[in-house]
């Protein structure tokens, strides 16, 4: 049963340092395919660190690994994801006459992916 | 540098060489004016055309950090005033702050071939030179802002005058500047450090420094003369735009005590107050200013005339810009530069029915008409502060055509005119010879550009050919030919070629030990390394160092040399 | 490691918009590696450490190895043929290369845009609406006794913003450094930056505009309803306290990030903050600065502005520059399917653009200049390997505060610079077109208005 | 002037066709009209390269086809009438001073931006920036009417100084932002941050909305001008209900950050109202 959460895209220093290795490198892909989630939300959804979740917007969907953050650091209902190929999949092309697609605070459907479903 | 060229039969105005409307040939070779060229040289038939040296703008704002901010903040002014690309020239946009390419091409299409950017913080020098690289046709230089420089203040405060002079020379040299510029001395420290306060008088204390504007200005005048710079210190006085500022302006000029000093856009500094009213509307004190300049050959000024319509106020005088923002509303840009300067930008429209605006317009004209030495009271609108350089042809007409002037006067706020002497000056009209002085020969001489502003042998072959016309605005708006460094750039009003233009700068000598004084200050208070501060020569693809005179020669005011 | 080491002092790091110019690089000359980057932050260290010379083809055409010259010919042919060529990227290259790229766009009658449009482009639009009170970073170091970070995470994205420019350094009027400043951080979540703040204000996602608007009202002495807390997560008391501090300080500064620009509200969020800084100047000195991401994105803004009058998203198809975000910005041009060719310089839109834009990139001929292989270079018709600016080539870059610096390269690269490749493409296009392409349209619709009229 | 143009070749890059305006086509034969210049990407093309030009039945300009990539239809027009049987691209009627444009389908962004007179009717949806100021300008629409039957995107009526914008469906965010005066009617729901920075002017919606903290409730009443305005919109075909014409409206004053002389009127849904 999917539930709605708010996805914040952003940059991290780890993403930054991995970027300089090259964007086709494993570390960069690893960093940009891990979504941070509130630990209470994770518990409720039966997710552990490293579990896989599917995020979906009207534009597209992406499967990511999740990683827990304490409530004081990341409120319930909020997700954080470093920009990269997977966050792109969720963004719409409409910029409302600004040139800027919305990439922070996207409404996303969150759905756990059963372990056996993954490669 | 182009093939030899003979301009045949033009009516030549070359005041620096005493040539007043004589029909004769002008010969060009290798980018210079020469005595003669071979008979097979290319010829331009200039019959019926007026031949003048290329125009020289002594004070304008065309490149650098604040100009680019002013460009960026006004997309709406670029939209409907565009510069189309041609096969050989780049496109651009206009408005009161045109893009770099449009700036160069438009100056050229007015017959101007040299322009001086009048206010660049040292930290913005590299940026300014980058824009110069993309400003075609014209030769250009910039005045570097030193009047609010905190290291120079420290040296001055501690009485280290020799080091002060070496530091000034260092700053001019490493930034590739043309002249030192003071803007509202002391004002930045009040603005940035004292909750947006300002200097109100020459004897105010400057923030935390044990200094006054009076001491700062005097020190710069002294140092600039001692360095023998081709152009002396270029001063934007305190209290610009304020009612009653004429006293500050006169006092500032007196500080020169016979030494050379150039007063920028003096129109903005010629305001009186209605007697007995401290917060009155301004009145004109153009007569007092004109009289002082007329009788003091050490002083020169550019007028900074105001023209009605859109302008952009952009200035290193940040408190002034804030005052204008409080009047005009709309957009306001402020930009502080560490240890060196402030800056403010406000789009502004001068309206003929507004008392103050009409008064400013009238004072500009008064100063021209009251001037007795066109060599020392030269042409400017402080582009784009008083109006765009594109208004120059109209301003020339106002000076040359008293009937036109009268018509224009009838359309402005009459109360403002009541507070000026403009109506008494109807008899005065500028001749083409005098126009050639205030737009070419005079500014070139004040800048110490010996190869500019004249058509004598050895001069740069920067030449403009106008079609004579009773409507002087029309005549000066579109020369038929413009020649830069001997190359035909504009022919029959169309671009034939592109051209880079040169950077003009000075390199006064300094004692290298001064760097040991400057470097520790950088370590403490700058966020750029000392080693990365000086601008290297790669930013000067085409350039020319204008030599400094021996210090003794500097005592002779250039303006006085040839009345 | 060889024994052939040299040290390049005062080198400049171009990883982020801080553009710190105090790097002392130890270079292994034989191995073409930087072995030590003194003064660099964690990001800078990675940047310098990882940029060696890789064995890559000079160019790939349709995935096949080719010479740079063959790549130039193919690229020029593609661009000269195109009716709506899009030139994009440019934030990680020198101003000298940017300058050539704008000239190429002009010559072609194409469209040029930089990564600004998906970074602080909305702040640029906000600036065009309300202006901005700003400062060079040294003013923050020397004078700022109150600094408000809004919608950014400098500790991770711009580490030395804290240590070199804004938070801890001592300055002329800030003799005790950190102790003399009040640091406020406003964000929707706690980040690595939060511990640096004296005051952390956590706002609900998507309510920055309301918070800023309420602050503006309070600064102006207007009433704000206490329901502000329910809507934004920030109580009226907290806002009132902030306003009192803001008015009390001597020199205040906002440093704001993409938490404002990439969020619902976009340019209006930035405009609200810029307007707040302007409002505060009635009481004391305040400045605001967008914190810029890429090493020379500020240079790109400057170059495009001085050449065209507009900072990004500029179209030349009618023979003169036009600006209209949403119409001529890259995401829109691609997502709508307008472009029929693309030239991407030092950027990787295929890995961070919205999906519909990436889909279109796959449909059209793409030319890429990049020192490294990227997702974008993988889908390119022509992919050039170029030298890395600041490491292999010199040139000019602008810090986020518009201060220009000259790069000091550490060691040479066998690959050409972006500027060299772009210049070669431009020169070839000039031959193919016989000069600049003549304007397609007649004069603009509105009659040209003299600036003075 | 009486022409019907049918799109026969869909442009693959943007086509700028401000010649599709009554005055530009007036008095031209079909072959003459087909030779008019349009801007196709970075090159010139003929109108006839894209449109089949035929005679029309009346004195109007009829355009048929999917014109989504055709920009500037009716830009700057001063008189006459254009009917688009299909969808229109960006900048429809931008800067128009008079006349009328009717679009049967959808329209792109910047419909009627900075117009000063005339009327634009879009039967479908319109994009962002309907009747807006362009970037950097403080002033948007100075007169005329824009009617959108469907939904619109963000920033409708930004910087508006005079005139009427009516939206049958929902508006996006920042409707009436920085408005100086004029009227915006939204029969559907308002997006976020309506009227931010407005100095004067009226924004009306038929649904409850959460306004910015700088808007204050003043009273509930039945303003006469609104009754007249809604009757006018009803006559033009917008689905105005009797309950709306006769309804009472909550008046919210703002924006307190600016002049505070603007108003947002929300239909009061309280029973018995």
């Amino acid at each position: 049963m999917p539930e709605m959460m708010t996805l914040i895209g952003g940059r991290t220093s780890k993403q930054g340092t991995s970027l300089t290795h090259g964007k086709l490198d494993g570390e960069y892909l690893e960093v940009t395919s891990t979504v941070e989630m509130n630990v209470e939300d994770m518990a409720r959804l039966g997710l552990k660190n490293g579990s896989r979740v599917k995020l979906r917007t009207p534009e597209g969907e992406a499967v990511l690994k999740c990683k827990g953050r304490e409530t004081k650091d990341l409120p319930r209902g909020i997700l954080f994801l470093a920009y990269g190929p997977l966050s792109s999949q969720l963004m719409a092309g409409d910029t409302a006459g600004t040139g800027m697609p919305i990439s922070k605070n996207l409404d996303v459907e969150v759905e756990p992916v059963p372990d056996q479903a993954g490669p | 540098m182009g093939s030899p060229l003979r301009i045949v039969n033009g009516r030549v105005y070359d005041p620096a060489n005493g040539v007043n409307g004589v029909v004769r040939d002008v010969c060009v070779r290798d980018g210079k004016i020469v005595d003669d060229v071979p008979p097979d040289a290319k010829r331009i038939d200039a019959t019926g055309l007026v031949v003048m040296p290329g125009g020289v703008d002594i004070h304008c704002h065309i490149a650098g950090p604040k100009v680019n901010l002013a460009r960026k903040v006004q997309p709406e002014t670029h939209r409907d005033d565009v510069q189309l690309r041609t096969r050989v020239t780049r496109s651009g946009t206009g408005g009161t702050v045109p893009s770099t390419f449009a700036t160069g091409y438009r100056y050229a299409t007015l017959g101007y071939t040299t322009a001086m950017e009048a206010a660049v913080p040292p930290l913005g020098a590299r940026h300014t030179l980058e824009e110069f690289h993309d400003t075609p046709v014209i030769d250009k230089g910039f005045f570097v802002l030193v009047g609010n420089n905190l290291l120079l203040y420290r040296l001055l405060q501690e009485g280290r005058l020799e080091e002060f002079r070496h530091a000034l020379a260092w700053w001019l040299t490493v930034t590739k500047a043309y002249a030192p510029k003071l803007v509202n001395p002391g004002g930045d420290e009040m603005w940035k450090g004292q909750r947006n306060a300002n200097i109100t008088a020459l004897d105010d204390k400057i923030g935390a420094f044990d200094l006054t504007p009076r001491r700062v200005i005097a020190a710069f005048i002294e140092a600039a003369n001692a360095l023998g710079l081709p152009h002396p210190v270029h001063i934007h006085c305190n209290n610009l735009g304020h009612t009653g500022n004429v006293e500050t302006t006169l006092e500032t000029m007196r500080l020169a005590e016979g030494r050379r000093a150039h007063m920028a856009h003096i129109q903005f500094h010629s305001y009186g107050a209605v007697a007995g009213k401290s917060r009155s509307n301004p009145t004109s004190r153009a007569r007092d200013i004109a009289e002082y300049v007329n009788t003091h050959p050490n002083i020169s000024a550019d007028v900074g005339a105001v023209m009605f319509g859109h302008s952009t106020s952009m200035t290193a005088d940040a408190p002034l810009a804030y005052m204008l923002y409080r009047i005009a509303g709309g957009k306001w840009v402020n930009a502080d530069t560490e240890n060196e300067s402030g800056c403010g930008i406000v789009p502004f429209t001068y309206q003929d029915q507004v008392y103050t605006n009409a008064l400013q317009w009238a004072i500009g004209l008064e100063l021209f008409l009251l001037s007795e030495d066109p060599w020392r009271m030269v042409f400017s609108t402080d582009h784009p502060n008083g109006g765009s350089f594109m208004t120059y042809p109209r301003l020339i007409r106002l000076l040359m055509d008293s009937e036109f002037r009268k018509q224009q006067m009838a359309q402005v706020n009459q109360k403002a005119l009541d507070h000026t002497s403009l109506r008494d000056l109807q008899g005065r009209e500028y001749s083409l010879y005098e126009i050639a002085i205030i737009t070419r020969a005079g500014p070139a001489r004040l800048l110490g550009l010996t190869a500019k502003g004249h058509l004598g042998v050895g001069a740069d072959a920067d030449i403009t050919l106008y079609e004579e016309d009773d409507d002087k605005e029309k005549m000066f708006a579109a020369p038929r030919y413009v020649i830069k460094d001997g190359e035909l750039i504009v022919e029959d009003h169309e671009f034939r070629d592109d051209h880079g233009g040169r950077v003009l700068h000075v390199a006064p000598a300094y004692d290298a030990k001064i760097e040991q004084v400057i470097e520790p200050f950088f370590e403490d208070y700058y966020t750029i390394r000392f080693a990365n501060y000086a601008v290297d020569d790669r930013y000067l693809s085409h350039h020319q160092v204008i030599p400094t005179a021996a210090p003794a020669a500097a005592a002779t005011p250039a303006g006085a040399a040839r009345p | 490691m060889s024994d052939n080491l040299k040290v390049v002092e005062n080198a400049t790091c171009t990883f982020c918009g801080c553009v710190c110019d105090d790097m002392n690089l130890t270079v292994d000359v034989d191995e073409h590696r930087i072995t030590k980057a003194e003064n660099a932050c964690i990001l800078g260290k990675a940047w310098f450490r990882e940029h060696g010379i890789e064995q890559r083809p000079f160019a790939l055409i349709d995935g096949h190895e080719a010479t740079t010259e063959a790549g130039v010919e193919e690229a020029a042919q593609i661009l000269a043929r195109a009716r709506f060529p899009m030139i994009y990227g440019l934030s990680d290259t020198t101003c000298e290369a940017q300058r050539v790229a704008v000239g190429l766009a002009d010559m072609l009658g194409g469209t040029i845009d930089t990564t600004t449009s998906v970074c602080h482009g909305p702040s640029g639009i906000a600036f065009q609406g309300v202006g901005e009170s700003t400062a060079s970073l040294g003013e923050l170091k020397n004078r700022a006794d109150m600094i408000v970070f809004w919608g950014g995470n400098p500790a991770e994205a711009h580490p030395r913003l804290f240590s070199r420019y804004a938070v801890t350094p001592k300055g002329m009027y800030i003799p005790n450094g950190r102790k003399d400043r009040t640091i406020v951080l406003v964000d929707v979540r706690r980040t690595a930056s939060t511990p640096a703040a004296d005051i952390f204000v956590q706002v609900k996602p998507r309510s920055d505009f309301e918070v800023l608007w309420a602050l503006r009202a309070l600064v102006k002495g207007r009433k704000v309803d206490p329901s502000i807390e329910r809507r934004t997560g920030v109580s009226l008391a907290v806002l009132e306290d902030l306003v009192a501090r803001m008015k009390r300080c001597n020199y205040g500064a906002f440093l704001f990030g993409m938490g404002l620009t990439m969020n619902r509200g976009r340019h209006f969020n930035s405009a609200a903050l810029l307007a707040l800084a302007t409002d505060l100047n009635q009481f004391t000195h305040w400045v605001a600065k967008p914190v810029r991401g890429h090493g020379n994105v500020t240079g790109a803004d400057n170059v495009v502005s001085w050449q065209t009058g507009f900072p990004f998203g500029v179209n030349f198809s009618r023979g003169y520059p036009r600006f209209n975000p949403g119409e001529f910005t890259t995401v829109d041009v691609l997502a709508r399917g307008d472009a029929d060719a693309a030239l991407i310089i030092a950027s990787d839109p295929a890995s961070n653009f919205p999906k519909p834009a990436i889909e279109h990139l796959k449909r059209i001929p793409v030319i890429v200049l990049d020192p490294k292989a990227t997702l974008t270079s993988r889908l390119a018709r022509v992919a050039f390997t170029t030298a890395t600016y600041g490491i292999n080539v010199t040139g000019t870059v602008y810090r986020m505060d518009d201060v220009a610096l000259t790069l000091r390269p550490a060691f040479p690269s066998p690959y050409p610079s972006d500027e060299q490749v772009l210049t070669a493409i431009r020169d070839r296009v000039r031959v193919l077109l016989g000069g600049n392409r003549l304007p397609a349209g007649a004069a603009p619709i509105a009659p040209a208005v003299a600036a003075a009229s | 002037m009486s022409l019907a143009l049918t799109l026969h070749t869909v442009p693959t890059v943007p086509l700028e066709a401000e010649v599709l305006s009554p005055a530009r086509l007036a008095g031209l034969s079909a072959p003459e009209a087909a030779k008019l210049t349009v801007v196709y990407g970075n090159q010139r093309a003929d109108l006839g390269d894209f449109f089949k030009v035929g005679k029309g039945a009346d004195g109007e300009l009829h355009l048929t086809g999917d014109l989504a990539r055709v920009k500037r239809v009716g830009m700057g027009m001063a008189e006459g009438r254009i009917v688009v049987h299909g969808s229109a691209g960006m900048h429809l009627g931008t800067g128009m001073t008079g006349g009328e444009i009717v679009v049967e389908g959808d329209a792109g962004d910047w419909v009627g931006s900075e117009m000063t007179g005339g009327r634009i009717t879009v039967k479908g949806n319109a994009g962002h920036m309907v009747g807006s100021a362009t970037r950097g300008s403080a002033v948007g629409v100075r007169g005329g009417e824009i009617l959108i039957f469907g939904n619109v995107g963000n920033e409708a009526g930004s910087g508006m100084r005079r005139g009427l914008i009516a939206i049958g469906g929902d508006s996006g965010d920042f409707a009436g932002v920085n408005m100086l005066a004029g009227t915006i009617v939204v029969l559907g729901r308002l997006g976020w941050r309506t009227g931010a920075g407005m100095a004067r002017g009226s924004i009306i919606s038929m649904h409850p909305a959460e306004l910015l903290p700088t808007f204050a409730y003043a009273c509930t009443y039945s303003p006469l001008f609104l009754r007249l305005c809604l009757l006018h919109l009803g006559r033009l075909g917008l689905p105005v209900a009797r309950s709306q014409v006769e309804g009472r409206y909550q008046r919210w004053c703002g924006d307190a950050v600016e002049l505070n002389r603007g108003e947002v009127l929300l239909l009061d849904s309280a029973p018995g109202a």
Side-chain angles (χ1 to χ4, degrees), chain C residues 145-177:
Chain C
D145 55 351
M146 181 168 187
I147 298 179
V148 179
F149 293 92
W150 199 305
N153 180 9
E156 294 204 66
H158 300 83
R160 294 187 82 211
L161 198 52
F162 283 178
S163 57
R164 188 166 193 236
Y165 304 106
V167 177
T168 53
K170 294 175 180 173
M172 189 175 288
Y173 300 105
I174 307 289
N176 305 307

Side-chain angles (χ1 to χ4, degrees), chain B residues 234-416:
Chain B
H234 196 99
I235 305 174
H236 158 143
C237 293
N238 301 102
N239 282 327
L240 186 150
H242 288 270
T243 296
N245 64 9
V246 66
E247 302 305 338
T248 307
T249 312
L250 291 167
E251 237 178 306
T252 304
M253 289 194 283
R254 283 183 209 117
L255 283 177
E257 293 177 339
R259 293 164 303 192
R260 284 188 69 192
H262 182 87
M263 314 303 289
H265 39 68
I266 201 163
Q267 176 278 129
F268 287 109
H269 304 275
S270 303
Y271 308 148
V274 174
K277 290 188 187 168
S278 61
R279 293 179 63 86
S280 74
N281 270 333
T283 61
S284 171
R285 294 283 296 277
R287 279 193 181 277
D288 304 84
I289 294 291
E291 191 195 325
Y292 190 93
V293 177
N294 284 339
T295 54
H296 290 79
N298 63 313
I299 298 291
S300 60
D302 62 273
V303 168
V306 153
M307 299 295 282
F308 298 118
H310 295 304
S311 72
T312 299
S313 174
M314 60 161 101
T315 172
D317 191 339
L320 165 76
Y322 188 67
M323 183 183 84
L324 286 176
Y325 161 66
R326 301 288 292 171
I327 295 169
K331 307 173 191 182
W332 170 61
V333 177
N334 172 76
D336 305 336
T337 302
E338 60 207 63
N339 311 311
E340 294 179 352
S341 183
C343 162
I345 299 161
V346 181
F348 197 84
T349 301
Y350 289 100
Q351 297 166 274
D352 54 15
Q353 289 309 313
V354 171
Y355 173 91
T356 306
N357 300 171
L359 184 87
Q360 293 174 302
W361 176 82
I363 292 174
L365 297 177
E366 274 185 285
L367 288 166
F368 278 118
L369 301 175
L370 290 164
S371 165
E372 290 167 8
D373 185 357
W375 292 92
R376 289 187 295 107
M377 181 68 83
V378 300
F379 195 91
S380 79
T381 62
D382 188 14
H383 159 85
N385 284 282
S388 159
F389 66 78
M390 296 299 280
T391 66
Y392 289 179
R394 168 162 290 224
L395 179 53
I396 289 172
R397 187 176 179 195
L398 283 166
L399 300 180
M400 294 191 74
D401 181 346
S402 63
E403 197 49 43
F404 176 68
R405 190 161 70 229
K406 209 167 137 189
Q407 288 165 17
Q408 299 297 303
M409 283 164 62
Q411 289 169 28
V412 312
N413 184 303
Q414 296 298 304
K415 268 199 178 147

